[in-house]
Amino acid sequence: MKKNAFERRRVLGLMAAPLAISLAAMLSGCAGGPSPARDREALLLRAKEFWKSVQDNDPVTSWKYEELSKKPGWTLQAYLKREGIVYDAVEVQDVLSLEGDKALVNVKVTFSVPLLRMNSQQVVLKDEWVRIDGVWYHADRKSLL
């Protein structure tokens, strides 16, 4: 009788070890998965990189952050023709809202439009972003300002 009890404990012990390892792996996978804080961090990083390239007048780099770069029918050449605003200063402030794959980021911008002789205009934009395949992109917009 003691032999059967010993065998049962041994079998249960052998079964429990892989279950414990699987459970630990699942829990650690959850800890490394998406979270609101990580989403915000990733979004702010992308927004800062995008706006730095815009301020540096580097549209080839900023194109990589644009939702338009993922849309059929849009090309880098067409994107380059949309310019006309000079960004004198840009400060990505914070994430205003983040719901699913859409977000708004507050961005303080000082800009000029030389063609219209508008200089040093200042505005805080509610800048739209969308997540595509897990990556944040600057949302397609009709007019930024």
Side-chain angles (χ1 to χ4, degrees):
M1 190 133 169
K2 283 186 175 184
K3 187 177 180 183
N4 284 341
F6 177 74
E7 278 298 311
R8 273 185 279 180
R9 274 191 242 146
R10 189 174 148 257
V11 169
L12 287 174
L14 290 173
M15 290 172 48
L19 288 173
I21 292 169
S22 295
L23 182 60
M26 287 189 322
L27 291 175
S28 69
C30 291
S35 73
R38 283 195 187 98
D39 281 348
R40 286 175 123 60
E41 288 172 23
L43 173 57
L44 282 173
L45 178 63
R46 294 273 298 174
K48 288 175 182 178
E49 291 169 349
F50 168 75
W51 280 105
K52 180 177 180 344
S53 69
V54 169
Q55 184 178 359
D56 291 347
N57 195 26
D58 183 0
V60 173
T61 298
S62 60
W63 170 248
K64 298 172 192 174
Y65 294 89
E66 290 282 7
E67 177 188 16
L68 291 175
S69 70
K70 299 294 178 190
K71 290 187 173 185
W74 271 94
T75 64
L76 174 59
Q77 291 75 21
Y79 178 73
L80 294 174
K81 293 178 183 177
R82 292 174 43 147
E83 295 302 310
I85 299 172
V86 176
Y87 295 89
D88 305 313
V90 176
E91 178 191 346
V92 175
Q93 296 181 321
D94 59 359
V95 176
L96 185 63
S97 69
L98 194 159
E99 294 178 20
D101 291 334
K102 295 186 180 215
L104 288 175
V105 176
N106 278 338
V107 181
K108 185 178 178 182
V109 177
T110 303
F111 68 96
S112 299
V113 184
L115 191 62
L116 300 176
R117 296 188 180 139
M118 292 174 58
N119 296 314
S120 298
Q121 303 296 304
Q122 199 171 70
V123 65
V124 175
L125 301 174
K126 289 182 170 74
D127 196 31
E128 295 180 42
W129 287 76
V130 294
R131 187 170 24 204
I132 302 170
D133 297 327
V135 179
W136 288 105
Y137 289 91
H138 192 245
D140 179 19
R141 75 261 180 231
K142 303 302 177 234
S143 174
L144 196 60
L145 302 172

